[in-house]
């Protein structure tokens, strides 16, 4: 069901933990859907110099968070912001269609952490592009 | 190589070697169609008769009340649809529960879409229906009550004899899906006043692909499969002779050692339950305890860890188990059973079912408790939900 890369990141997730003096913290998801993702970032000279995550969720949620943190570590905030869910899924050698929302959560969580950093700096938060189709489909099952 | 510990006997059992042995001749040397009149098929006719008697002895009914099907699912479909179409002139109400297997739930939905008034009874926190609710739901238009004997996820056993008593008194047909219960706990269709009962061989060390619908004499039910005259014209199709022989051999074997095996397995189940509850903080047992649940079923909610994650970590450690969490089911909704007993989404998503069986040893249970404790600790440490849960406790 899962690629070897997903299994590897699920079994040995990178960058797990918290950053006590984080510059930005993002949290997305909700217990109803069974996924909650929380990402902490340290920013130095506009670059993500440290990143940690905590995730409650299935294997693909854990693997997506792990991969996303690896992909943005050492990147400028502008570059990190451009990380898409598809890039996360591709880096994981694919996710089953029903699990694609996990990669969306990872993208959204990085965005939430960056915008938290921007707000704390008194900067305007960047506008998040919407993932309506996937989010819609996801919440649809709960009616 | 780690030892494989199979704790998913409620999903399916292996076919017992003695059962396989009984089945084998019917694949090769004795392959005749039981409907053919030549003497070559005599042995097959006799074998089917024998199996019918083996089942009847265990249920305490007459062999001609036993009808072989292809599965428990087929038996459930037949029971509901057969009664519905044959009794629709009397009334359209069918009463069932919110925790039935999908074979009953989805058949109920199918009938509801075709004009039947299907009522789903609530269950209490342990998963038991209330007889008072059932009485309240009974109307003159009620043609069928279908309540599962024991639940496949949480193992809770229903007050079947009391339900049977009430239905018989009111002249309403009573069906029970006994797929998880047959040959695991005592069933007496006379004493329990059961009119229709579904079972499936692969839940009690028989082969897959064969089940039974017990139909009490005089029960008004239509045929489900149309075709030849097999099963007294009630269920057409050439008999799965080897499968039927396997079902008979399996039920006889299981019934002969049921008390002993139930005692052994329930002791292991209770060891597993108390081990998990003691070692893993804030773990919760889902379903009834002691004699109120199936001897082989344990179901926990381990707040803070998602069910699929648990299964995959257990799998990596050589342990096969199951969950009612959404993530592993191919849908995104947690189990309807766990929601019906009132669990929050958080608890339902963190559910783990372990069902024990013939190969389960005390050693297995002790090592599973160790492994599970380690997994839950490690995954909780990286879970924001666990963090929030602990913070909520302090508040």
């Amino acid at each position: 069901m899962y690629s070897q890369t997903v299994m590897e990141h699920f079994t040995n997730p990178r960058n797990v933990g918290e950053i006590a003096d984080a510059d930005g913290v993002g949290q997305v998801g909700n217990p109803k859907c069974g996924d909650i993702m929380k990402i902490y970032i340290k920013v130095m000279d506009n670059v993500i110099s440290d990143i940690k995550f905590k995730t409650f969720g299935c294997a693909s949620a854990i693997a997506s968070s792990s991969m996303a943190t690896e992909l943005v570590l050492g990147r400028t905030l502008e570059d990190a912001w451009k990380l898409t869910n598809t890039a996360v899924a591709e880096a994981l050698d694919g996710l089953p269609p029903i699990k694609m929302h996990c990669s969306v959560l990872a993208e959204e969580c990085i965005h939430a952490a960056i915008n938290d950093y921007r707000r704390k700096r008194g900067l305007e938060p960047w506008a998040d592009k919407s993932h309506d189709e996937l989010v819609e489909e996801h919440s649809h099952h709960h009616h | 190589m780690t030892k494989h510990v199979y704790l998913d006997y409620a999903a399916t059992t292996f076919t017992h070697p003695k059962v396989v042995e009984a089945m084998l001749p019917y694949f090769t040397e004795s392959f005749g169609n039981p409907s053919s009149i030549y003497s070559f098929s005599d042995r097959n006719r006799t074998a089917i008769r024998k199996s019918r008697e083996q089942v009847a002895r265990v249920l305490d009914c007459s062999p001609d009340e036993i009808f072989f099907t292809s599965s428990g699912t087929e038996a459930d479909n037949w029971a509901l649809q057969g009664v519905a179409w044959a009794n629709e002139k009397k009334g359209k109400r069918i009463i069932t529960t919110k925790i039935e297997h999908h074979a009953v739930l989805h058949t109920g939905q199918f009938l509801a879409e075709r004009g039947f008034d299907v009522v789903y009874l609530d269950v209490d926190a342990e998963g038991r229906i209330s007889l008072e609710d059932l009485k309240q739901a009974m109307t003159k238009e009620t043609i069928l009550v279908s309540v599962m004997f024991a639940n496949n996820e949480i193992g809770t056993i229903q007050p079947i004899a009391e339900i049977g008593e009430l239905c018989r008194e009111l002249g309403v047909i009573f069906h029970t899906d006994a797929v998880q219960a047959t040959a695991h706990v005592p069933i007496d269709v006379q004493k329990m006043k059961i009119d229709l009962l579904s079972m499936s061989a692969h839940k009690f060390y028989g082969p897959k692909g064969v089940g039974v619908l017990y139909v009490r004499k005089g029960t008004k039910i239509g045929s489900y499969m149309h075709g030849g005259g097999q099963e007294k014209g009630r269920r057409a199709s050439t008999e799965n002779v080897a499968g039927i022989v396997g079902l008979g051999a399996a039920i006889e074997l299981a019934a002969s050692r049921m008390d002993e095996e139930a005692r052994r397995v329930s002791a292991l189940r209770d060891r597993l339950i108390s081990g998990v509850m003691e070692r893993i903080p804030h773990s919760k047992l889902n379903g009834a305890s002691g004699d109120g649940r199936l001897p082989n079923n344990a179901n926990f909610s381990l707040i803070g860890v998602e069910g699929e994650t648990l299964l995959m970590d257990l799998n990596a450690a050589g342990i096969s188990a199951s969950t009612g969490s959404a993530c592993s089911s191919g849908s995104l909704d947690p189990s309807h059973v766990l929601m019906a007993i009132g669990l929050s989404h958080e608890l339902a998503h963190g559910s783990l079912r372990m069902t024990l069986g013939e190969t389960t040893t005390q050693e297995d249970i002790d090592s599973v408790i160790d492994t599970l404790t380690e997994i839950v600790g490690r995954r909780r440490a990286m879970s924001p939900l666990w963090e929030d849960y602990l913070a909520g406790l302090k508040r």
Side-chain angles (χ1 to χ4, degrees), chain A residues 10 54-55 57 98-99 141, chain B residues 308-309 327 330 333 382 387:
Chain A
F10 165 69
K54 275 186 152 189
T55 290
I98 196 164
K99 304 286 192 176
H141 293 271
Chain B
E308 188 203 82
T309 287
C327 278
D333 287 325
M382 58 178 287
E387 193 183 308

Side-chain angles (χ1 to χ4, degrees), chain B residues 11 23 118 123 136 141 165 167 172 192 273 278 313 343 381 391:
Chain B
M23 291 170 70
V118 185
V123 293
Q136 294 288 325
E141 287 71 40
E165 182 74 47
C167 291
V172 174
M192 294 174 167
I273 291 172
E278 279 162 26
D313 282 338
L343 293 196

Side-chain angles (χ1 to χ4, degrees), chain A residues 5-128:
Chain A
T5 317
V6 171
M7 288 308 295
E8 165 54 22
H9 277 261
F10 165 69
T11 312
N12 304 301
R14 296 19 164 199
N15 307 314
V16 173
E18 297 169 30
I19 300 175
D21 58 342
D23 297 319
V25 183
Q27 181 167 328
V28 296
N30 69 66
K32 227 181 157 173
C33 300
D35 306 291
I36 304 174
M37 223 173 258
K38 195 169 184 179
I39 290 180
Y40 302 77
I41 53 169
K42 281 297 274 182
V43 179
M44 212 190 284
D45 302 331
N46 199 43
V47 165
I48 297 179
S49 58
D50 194 10
I51 187 161
K52 292 275 186 270
F53 83 92
K54 275 186 152 189
T55 290
F56 162 78
C58 57
S60 54
I62 290 170
S64 294
S65 354
S66 168
M67 182 54 87
T69 58
E70 273 213 319
L71 290 172
V72 299
L73 181 62
R75 300 291 194 87
T76 63
L77 292 178
E78 287 75 11
D79 269 4
W81 185 269
K82 284 183 207 142
L83 176 77
T84 63
N85 80 293
T86 7
V88 175
E90 272 166 22
L92 287 168
D93 294 327
L95 283 173
I98 196 164
K99 304 286 192 176
M100 276 307 282
H101 70 273
C102 294
S103 64
V104 174
L105 277 182
E107 176 192 324
E108 286 175 351
C109 200
I110 300 272
H111 287 182
I114 293 175
N115 273 338
D116 182 53
Y117 165 82
R118 290 184 59 83
R119 267 186 227 100
K120 281 178 181 157
R121 294 284 155 122
L123 300 166
E124 191 75 9
W126 287 332
D128 217 336

Side-chain angles (χ1 to χ4, degrees), chain B residues 48-56 63-64 66-68 231:
Chain B
I48 293 171
R49 195 179 318 126
K50 183 183 168 194
S51 175
R52 223 183 284 286
E53 285 164 5
Q54 286 167 317
V55 179
D64 54 14
I66 298 302
F67 294 86
F68 294 109
E231 301 296 280

Side-chain angles (χ1 to χ4, degrees), chain B residues 219-341:
Chain B
T219 305
K220 203 171 168 196
I221 180 169
S223 303
Y224 185 59
M225 296 276 271
H226 307 284
Q230 294 88 354
E231 301 296 280
K232 289 185 281 169
R234 308 294 292 275
R235 199 277 182 186
S237 103
T238 297
E239 296 88 340
N240 170 10
V241 183
I244 288 169
V245 167
L247 186 144
I251 202 168
E252 185 174 282
L253 180 65
S256 72
R257 52 181 193 166
M258 185 169 64
D259 292 348
E260 188 194 333
E261 189 61 4
R263 252 197 311 277
R264 185 187 77 85
V265 170
S266 59
L268 291 176
R269 172 200 68 190
D270 292 342
R271 188 182 179 92
L272 174 63
I273 291 172
S274 54
V276 168
M277 304 295 276
E278 279 162 26
R279 297 269 304 278
I280 304 180
H282 304 284
S283 49
K284 180 187 178 306
L285 176 70
N286 296 319
S289 35
D291 291 342
R293 78 186 298 140
L294 288 171
N296 70 343
N297 175 293
N299 188 307
F300 306 100
S301 276
L302 303 162
I303 184 86
V305 194
E306 199 279 323
E308 188 203 82
T309 287
L310 283 172
L311 292 198
M312 293 185 53
D313 282 338
L314 285 168
N315 181 56
I319 301 163
S320 303
S322 121
T323 176
S325 166
C327 278
S328 68
S329 66
S331 97
L332 292 163
D333 287 325
S335 131
H336 63 284
V337 176
L338 300 178
M339 296 315 281
I341 61 170

Side-chain angles (χ1 to χ4, degrees), chain B residues 59-338:
Chain B
L59 294 183
D60 189 26
C61 65
S62 153
D64 54 14
E65 294 173 311
I66 298 302
F67 294 86
F68 294 109
T69 66
S70 68
S71 62
T73 292
E74 186 197 320
D76 285 342
N77 271 266
W78 181 6
L80 267 73
Q81 293 189 52
V83 169
W85 302 126
N87 295 274
E88 61 177 332
K89 287 215 176 72
K90 183 196 165 192
K92 294 249 180 185
R93 174 163 283 206
I94 295 170
I95 302 171
T96 183
T97 79
K98 288 189 175 163
I99 61 162
E100 297 299 310
H101 187 274
H102 286 128
V104 167
L105 280 187
H106 289 172
T107 306
Q109 198 184 329
F110 171 85
L111 290 167
E113 284 159 9
R114 281 152 187 83
F116 285 88
D117 167 28
V118 185
V119 178
Y120 301 90
L121 298 177
D122 284 318
V123 293
D124 64 19
E126 290 190 346
R128 227 173 276 109
I129 66 154
S130 126
L131 288 167
E132 202 42 51
D133 287 355
L134 176 57
K135 264 181 222 165
Q136 294 288 325
M138 287 280 206
T139 58
K140 271 190 290 205
E141 287 71 40
T142 305
I143 52 173
L144 175 68
V145 168
S146 180
V147 177
M148 72 199 317
F149 204 106
N151 185 264
N152 49 310
E153 290 186 43
I154 57 174
T156 300
I157 299 171
Q158 299 295 335
I160 292 298
E162 286 86 343
I163 299 168
E165 182 74 47
L166 177 67
C167 291
R168 193 63 56 89
E169 201 183 291
L170 298 175
V172 174
I173 298 170
F174 174 37
H175 166 250
T176 186
D177 171 349
V179 165
Q180 293 292 334
T182 303
H184 292 276
V185 293
I187 297 178
D188 185 319
V189 293
Q190 307 289 334
K191 284 200 193 115
M192 294 174 167
K193 300 190 164 64
I194 297 166
D195 298 308
L196 299 165
L197 176 144
S198 311
M199 70 170 79
S200 175
H202 76 101
K203 308 290 190 184
F204 50 81
Y205 306 94
K208 292 165 185 64
V210 59
V212 159
L213 182 66
Y214 152 77
V215 181
R216 190 173 79 99
K217 230 167 269 166
T219 305
K220 203 171 168 196
I221 180 169
S223 303
Y224 185 59
M225 296 276 271
H226 307 284
Q230 294 88 354
E231 301 296 280
K232 289 185 281 169
R234 308 294 292 275
R235 199 277 182 186
S237 103
T238 297
E239 296 88 340
N240 170 10
V241 183
I244 288 169
V245 167
L247 186 144
I251 202 168
E252 185 174 282
L253 180 65
S256 72
R257 52 181 193 166
M258 185 169 64
D259 292 348
E260 188 194 333
E261 189 61 4
R263 252 197 311 277
R264 185 187 77 85
V265 170
S266 59
L268 291 176
R269 172 200 68 190
D270 292 342
R271 188 182 179 92
L272 174 63
I273 291 172
S274 54
V276 168
M277 304 295 276
E278 279 162 26
R279 297 269 304 278
I280 304 180
H282 304 284
S283 49
K284 180 187 178 306
L285 176 70
N286 296 319
S289 35
D291 291 342
R293 78 186 298 140
L294 288 171
N296 70 343
N297 175 293
N299 188 307
F300 306 100
S301 276
L302 303 162
I303 184 86
V305 194
E306 199 279 323
E308 188 203 82
T309 287
L310 283 172
L311 292 198
M312 293 185 53
D313 282 338
L314 285 168
N315 181 56
I319 301 163
S320 303
S322 121
T323 176
S325 166
C327 278
S328 68
S329 66
S331 97
L332 292 163
D333 287 325
S335 131
H336 63 284
V337 176
L338 300 178

